Amino acid sequence: MIRLALAAVMTLCAATAQAEIEVQEVTSPGGTDAWLVETHEIPFVAVEIFFRGGASLDREGKRGAANLMTALIEEGSGDLDAQAFQIELETMAAEFSYDVYDDALTVSARFLTDNRDAAVALLNQSLTDPRFDEPAIERVRGQVLSNIRSDAQDPNDIASETFYREAFGAHPYGSDLNGTIESVSALTRDDLLQSFDDTIVRDRASVAVVGDITPEELGAMLDTLFDGLPDSGPPLPEDVAVGISGGQTVIEFPSPQSVALFGHAGMDREDPDYFAAYILNEILGGSGRQSILMEEVREKRGLTYGVGSYLVAKDHADLYLGSVASANDRIGEAIEVIRDEWARMAEDGVTAEQLAEAKTYITGAYPLRFDGNARIANILVGMQFTGLPADYIATRNDRMNAVTLEDINRVAGALLKPEALHFVVVGQPEGVVGTN
């Protein structure tokens, strides 16, 4: 019944999200910074935390440690084992979730105002005193190993792992954050505790809070939430150049169709031309509207059900990627069309009409993202994590609209490198031969 009440409140949050969002920058008495959107219409608070580093902090020979460790945080802390921890969450109508990515370990919390103190105390306990009981380790380890075995039979995962290995080699980006059968099987409880201490540190935390809480209350809450966390952790990895070159890698896989991941180096999120690159990608291969690649590959030629491209701005490297799937006897043609359109866009750019249509879609769709406290908190913490200012929500569409036709076509010529496009093809492609 309590959990149903929380679900009802979260639904109301989504229904009553405000179009105008005022972001307050708060610093706690203990020196922790956070962004706050204060709204008292409903007695609910959403908290998002990103700890920079994530799986890229796995120590040598310990690949998969951060992933396994993160999955175990909710398996109990302090004097609460896994079952007692979940019962405690249910009792106070709170929800916690923990995830890890290449560059961040993320924490999400949702709770009612009346239970705020108890929820924050439990969240702090999970971030400072994990149990990592051996039975839980072995159970979750088994789940991770099952996922690794499953991914090894998934063409999309094979393509992704191969592309990143060829692009980044021995850098953490060059291997799957899940680890390997061998590395995960060898991880010990001490390895997981080390990963926990390396990853969850105060000075790498970005925090966003949305809901029924004042700046003064938030300041006190932050000091409780981060009490006991280490101040800092080990150095982050070095930046890495994208080492993959133009051509094709073909991996034989028994399937009636082939999947391909393709791409080359991208653009840093802090580059002043990033807004132009964002719009350019929306026109070329973005998934939010009818793109050139969808028109040429699917609509005109019927080579695929879907094709798209996207910018990937990581902390230590940047990619411009795309994906497509097609029948084995047609994937070669799909690849040829994609290369041709990549080259045509680099040479000719976009039209004024294409630019106007893309701006209309991008700016019109943006306000729809802010459909609830939890979504707003997630957007805010992402803004902090990527170095955007607190007023970005208010200025973002103006920045998009400021991109000129000259800007976008200049960026097209610099960013799009058809000769550098590399395709990793998994399947039994006819007429497609590896070049390396």
Side-chain angles (χ1 to χ4, degrees), residues 120-197:
V120 171
L122 183 62
L123 184 58
N124 167 264
Q125 179 177 282
S126 77
L127 298 177
T128 56
D129 190 19
R131 288 175 65 97
F132 295 161
D133 294 327
E134 290 293 349
I137 292 174
E138 293 312 313
R139 175 168 47 80
V140 177
R141 190 201 308 268
Q143 295 168 359
V144 172
L145 292 174
S146 178
N147 291 337
I148 293 172
R149 294 187 182 99
S150 177
D151 290 347
Q153 300 303 314
D154 185 306
N156 290 293
D157 287 314
I158 295 170
S160 178
E161 184 173 353
T162 302
F163 189 100
Y164 276 83
R165 183 175 63 249
E166 294 189 7
F168 298 118
H171 190 276
Y173 292 164
S175 59
D176 193 310
L177 63 80
N178 287 320
T180 65
I181 296 293
E182 294 74 21
S183 67
V184 173
S185 296
L187 291 172
T188 67
R189 184 175 185 273
D190 285 344
D191 293 330
L192 301 179
L193 288 169
Q194 183 66 68
S195 177
F196 186 88
D197 291 342

Side-chain angles (χ1 to χ4, degrees), residues 15 62 84 89 137 190 245 264 266 288 302 369 403 409-410:
K62 308 295 181 181
L89 283 174
I137 292 174
D190 285 344
S245 57
H264 55 52
R369 299 182 187 181
V403 174
N409 287 338
R410 172 177 50 79

